[in-house]
Amino acid sequence: MTDVAIRGLSKSFGTNRVLKALDLTVPSRQFVTLLGPSGCGKTTLLRLIAGLEQPTEGEIRFGERRVDGLPPGERNIAMVFQSYALYPTMDVARNIGYGLEVRGTPKAERRERVGAVAKVLEILHLLGRKPRELSGGQRQRVALGRAMVRKPDIFLMDEPLSNLDAKLRAAMRGELRRFHLDLGTTTIYVTHDQLEAMTMSDLVVVMNEGVVQQIGTPEEVYARPANLFVAGFIGTPPMNLIPARNEGGRVTVEGHPLPVAAPAGAPAELILGIRPQDVSMATPGEPGTIPGKVWMVELIGSERLIEVEIAPKVRVTAEVRASHRAALDDAVAVRLDPAQIHLFDPASGQALPREAVREVGARPA
Amino acid sequence: MSRWAAALIYAVLGAVTFVVCFPLLWAISTSLKPKDEIFRWPPTLIPETITFESYRELLFGGAVASAPGAGVPPSAYFMDWFVNSVIVSVGSTAISITVATLAAYSLTRFRFRGQRAVPYVAILGYMIPSVIFVFPMFLTMVALDLPDTLLSLILGYVCITLPFCLWLMWAFFRGVPIEIEEAALVDGATRLQVFRQIVLPVALPGIIAASIFSLIVSWNDYLFGRVFMNSMDKLPLTVGVMHFFDGTHVDWGLMMASSVLMTLPMAILFGFMQRHLVAGFGAGAVKG
Ligand SMILES: Nc1ncnc2c1ncn2[C@@H]1O[C@H](COP(=O)(O)OP(=O)(O)O)[C@@H](O)[C@H]1O
Ligand SMILES: [Mg+2]
């Protein structure tokens, strides 16, 4: 029941400015993911929220309470570390109950609460073991139990699944989501894995180089990327980003007009973004298509990726059904779904308003 | 491995063990022999007559020989020496371990200039033979008005054991991931609780290893005791037992019985701590 408000938060390590005047609001009871490439400052932000680092500037509030300046123990948060950070000399029961122990919770109550959490996490049989006697997945559960047992206001999780194998990771994604729905605790979850972010979150905060790039639901950051970084970062295979021009209100790519009108006031040079799923193969010469040569073909399970070179060094990837055959150097054409085209201003990197990107009737090329 | 190879290896190991242990066996044997059997030729490894005369003289000689006059035999001081050795070894070890543990912890946890150099500079001291600095240290003790006191010996031993203890503990703390401390802080523990309940238990094998090292060094030291101490009743064991050699004649029975009694505490200690010792010297291999 606690929202987190971060205002103008900066953090520097020496001359390295890791977070740059960051603003972020995490609504109460939501599962919010900090998503960004490695080194973009996600962990630093989480540690600032936890109180393990002190901000250079700015403030952090939990609800009405200003917390920057408070030691971690007084913030009523729980954190799951990437390395799990279990206490090596304590058994699982004491690991989970340690937070209650130092807060003076009576032994009987402690045992009961540890037992309850262990039951939910299905680790009752492990309570007597030491961390070194546990598998990675079991350690992960103990770390989770340690966070859950204290009924904190906020859960902070730093890539908690990154040390698990792929199968376990997939299973744990669902479980974490389930626990969150049951407990309703505000959760800030750090990951560099967009699949985790997209499948688990209420809100995704896309970060790069210490700056928030976009905040939105998974659908929003996928369907309406705010800028070139988000467009290129979210989605696999990544969105095609190709140079385009605004010629008298009409969008062209390599001189081929597309059935799309540029918004009023759009610059002459544009970057056009389109996801491979929204690119289809066409016969050369069809109106509204862009001709080119097949440059590379890749089979990814039920789909096939066809990379088409439409000009020297300019390639568009189309994701088509695996049954679609294509040979290298075939003369082909690609059709871009006009409804799915994103336009960006190359100078600022910002997306042009989607509403303004209008579809116009195809005209013979 | 074939049975023959195994047998061969055990035979070799047995032979080496025998060679290594022979002086100790010989000492035990000699300490149990009456005086006339010690020099008998051919020598006997198993004493023909077993006597505890030497041990009795060492352990209870102080009470018997307290007669007035000049004729107090050195063996009367044995128990004093023993107690002195215990005091200086335990005292210096306690100081070394406390200081080394706290220093090593701060060296791995707080950032400051030259932080990484400290343990290496500390260990450099061992490149210098202790005979070189024992006399300057003695002069320092004189300046402090401390010579011929057990405290001077304790301080001296701290000087020679602290650097290695520091280095060992440093290597140990480096292997303790900082996240477990941060996790405890988030759990609501105070800094002191973190140190006592999280860090110290993890560092315990290192502390035990460093303690054993420090105890052995101070227990076995001769040089510092010889230079710093003067009064008969204040000597450590190593220096004291040299009085069983009066310049012309060695009392081998007493000498060997002392050796056995001196070895005993360390042997017992080792027996108990062996498991931890191995863990301690594997420092850095601790994983969270
Ligand atoms: N304690 C620190 N001292 C100096 N630099 C740090 C420290 N912690 C993080 N950094 C730097 O801050 C940047 C962001 O790191 P981090 O927050 O861990 O990124 P992420 O978790 O997104 O991968 C990195 O360039 C890293 O080198
Ligand atoms: Mg990180």
Side-chain angles (χ1 to χ4, degrees):
Chain A
M1 263 117 293
T2 309
D3 61 313
V4 179
I6 292 167
R7 295 288 166 261
L9 192 69
S10 294
K11 176 69 185 174
S12 302
F13 294 107
T15 55
N16 182 7
R17 198 139 172 262
V18 174
L19 294 181
K20 296 157 190 158
L22 192 132
D23 291 316
L24 175 64
T25 304
V26 175
S28 176
R29 308 181 68 107
Q30 299 236 316
F31 194 112
V32 173
T33 304
L34 305 180
L35 175 66
S38 180
C40 74
K42 306 177 300 283
T43 297
T44 305
L45 177 55
L46 204 69
R47 290 170 58 85
L48 283 162
I49 298 171
L52 295 169
E53 302 280 357
Q54 297 309 310
T56 313
E57 268 169 35
E59 60 175 64
I60 304 173
R61 284 175 197 277
F62 294 170
E64 291 306 301
R65 199 159 61 110
R66 179 141 182 207
V67 296
D68 47 292
L70 288 184
E74 288 173 29
R75 299 188 181 199
N76 201 24
I77 46 158
M79 185 154 170
V80 178
F81 290 78
Q82 187 171 2
S83 61
Y84 312 140
L86 302 181
Y87 311 129
T89 57
M90 299 181 183
D91 64 16
V92 168
R94 193 159 176 228
N95 257 285
I96 296 177
Y98 186 71
L100 302 174
E101 183 183 326
V102 295
R103 282 176 161 80
T105 311
K107 205 167 178 177
E109 186 190 337
R110 216 156 71 206
R111 180 155 346 122
E112 191 183 312
R113 283 170 69 174
V114 169
V117 166
K119 191 160 174 238
V120 172
L121 291 169
E122 294 164 15
I123 50 173
L124 270 175
H125 60 295
L126 303 175
L127 285 180
R129 294 211 201 153
K130 291 282 174 60
R132 66 167 176 278
E133 298 160 348
L134 304 177
S135 71
Q138 292 170 332
R139 285 179 203 193
Q140 211 274 337
R141 281 165 179 275
V142 176
L144 216 54
R146 187 168 65 181
M148 284 163 59
V149 78
R150 274 182 23 232
K151 305 201 167 86
D153 292 337
I154 300 164
F155 280 137
L156 305 175
M157 305 193 187
D158 192 356
E159 313 216 7
L161 306 185
S162 63
N163 288 337
L164 303 181
D165 59 59
K167 203 171 148 206
L168 202 51
R169 205 179 310 159
M172 279 311 289
R173 279 205 306 266
E175 279 200 56
L176 277 179
R177 184 74 184 138
R178 179 75 230 184
F179 291 141
H180 176 257
L181 292 176
D182 291 345
L183 299 170
T185 309
T186 311
T187 303
I188 304 179
Y189 184 99
V190 163
T191 183
H192 66 267
D193 178 346
Q194 48 169 304
L195 186 62
E196 280 176 25
M198 299 309 255
T199 53
M200 297 168 76
S201 335
D202 296 313
L203 274 183
V204 178
V205 178
V206 184
M207 287 178 66
N208 189 35
E209 296 186 345
V211 176
V212 171
Q213 304 289 328
Q214 185 172 3
I215 303 176
T217 62
E219 293 80 11
E220 280 166 357
V221 295
Y222 183 81
R224 305 161 75 94
N227 57 36
L228 281 172
F229 175 80
V230 179
F233 189 71
I234 304 274
T236 23
M239 184 185 275
N240 291 297
L241 293 169
I242 50 180
R245 291 186 59 84
N246 169 15
E247 287 176 13
R250 187 75 182 245
V251 176
T252 64
V253 171
E254 301 300 334
H256 307 283
L258 300 181
V260 170
E269 301 285 331
L270 294 169
I271 291 192
L272 180 150
I274 187 149
R275 298 203 182 276
Q277 298 88 319
D278 302 320
V279 179
S280 50
M281 301 304 291
T283 335
E286 274 185 62
T289 64
I290 308 164
K293 270 197 319 190
V294 174
W295 194 78
M296 176 59 84
V297 181
E298 227 180 330
L299 183 68
I300 48 163
S302 59
E303 260 75 52
R304 196 184 291 279
L305 297 182
I306 302 180
E307 226 178 312
V308 178
E309 190 160 69
I310 56 172
K313 302 265 179 246
V314 182
R315 291 171 204 139
V316 177
T317 304
E319 187 175 318
V320 296
R321 283 225 294 284
S323 54
H324 189 107
R325 299 273 159 202
L328 290 189
D329 293 331
D330 277 0
V332 292
V334 288
R335 183 192 306 281
L336 315 183
D337 180 350
Q340 303 301 332
I341 283 176
H342 305 256
L343 294 176
F344 301 90
D345 178 348
S348 65
Q350 296 302 308
L352 302 178
R354 269 311 292 288
E355 295 72 25
V357 182
R358 276 186 307 107
E359 211 173 315
V360 293
R363 224 175 17 188
Chain B
M1 194 173 13
S2 79
R3 276 177 48 203
W4 286 109
L8 189 70
I9 285 172
Y10 277 107
V12 171
L13 288 178
V16 171
T17 309
F18 181 75
V19 169
V20 170
C21 290
F22 187 77
L24 188 64
L25 293 176
W26 191 247
I28 294 172
S29 156
T30 305
S31 72
L32 293 171
K33 287 176 187 172
K35 294 202 186 331
D36 61 340
E37 197 186 327
I38 291 176
F39 292 107
R40 181 178 309 160
W41 193 265
T44 48
L45 183 56
I46 315 280
E48 273 167 17
T49 24
I50 288 182
T51 169
F52 292 98
E53 184 57 33
S54 301
Y55 289 98
R56 201 170 53 83
E57 195 176 334
L58 291 175
L59 296 175
F60 309 109
V64 180
S66 58
V72 184
S75 61
Y77 292 102
F78 184 82
M79 284 316 289
D80 285 335
W81 299 336
F82 197 93
V83 171
N84 292 344
S85 273
V86 170
I87 291 174
V88 294
S89 307
V90 172
S92 63
T93 297
I95 296 176
S96 274
I97 294 304
T98 309
V99 174
T101 303
L102 296 175
Y105 181 66
S106 57
L107 278 174
T108 54
R109 290 300 185 256
F110 300 101
R111 285 159 182 267
F112 56 88
R113 274 176 75 90
Q115 172 188 36
R116 287 193 58 81
V118 175
Y120 292 100
V121 172
I123 207 97
L124 260 185
Y126 287 104
M127 310 296 146
I128 307 164
S130 35
V131 264
I132 291 180
F133 53 76
V134 67
F135 291 103
M137 271 177 63
F138 175 67
L139 296 178
T140 311
M141 294 303 166
V142 172
L144 293 172
D145 214 11
L146 283 178
D148 204 24
T149 60
L150 294 182
L151 183 59
S152 70
L153 262 193
I154 290 178
L155 294 178
Y157 293 153
V158 167
C159 290
I160 53 173
T161 55
L162 182 58
F164 186 71
C165 291
L166 173 71
W167 193 81
L168 194 64
M169 295 308 300
W170 174 74
F172 220 86
F173 281 128
R174 273 204 314 172
V176 180
I178 187 106
E179 281 92 358
I180 65 172
E181 294 177 45
E182 292 176 338
L185 287 177
V186 171
D187 260 347
T190 61
R191 281 248 168 227
L192 198 64
Q193 279 174 320
V194 171
F195 188 72
R196 284 187 27 215
Q197 298 176 345
I198 308 291
V199 178
L200 275 189
V202 176
L204 196 63
I207 290 177
I208 290 173
S211 303
I212 289 182
F213 162 81
S214 171
L215 281 171
I216 291 174
V217 166
S218 42
W219 185 263
N220 288 341
D221 167 76
Y222 176 77
L223 185 64
F224 281 69
R226 182 79 185 80
V227 174
F228 285 14
M229 308 307 280
N230 203 11
S231 314
M232 218 25 197
D233 61 338
K234 291 200 181 138
L235 300 178
L237 266 176
T238 44
V239 181
V241 297
M242 290 310 284
H243 286 92
F244 298 142
F245 171 57
D246 64 6
T248 51
H249 155 256
V250 182
D251 190 327
W252 284 111
L254 288 180
M255 198 67 126
M256 291 302 113
S258 317
S259 306
V260 172
L261 289 175
M262 275 175 75
T263 311
L264 220 51
M266 287 298 132
I268 292 171
L269 194 72
F270 241 84
F272 277 115
M273 299 301 180
Q274 206 179 28
R275 204 166 56 86
H276 297 286
L277 193 67
V278 174
F281 285 132
V286 230
K287 279 269 155 60

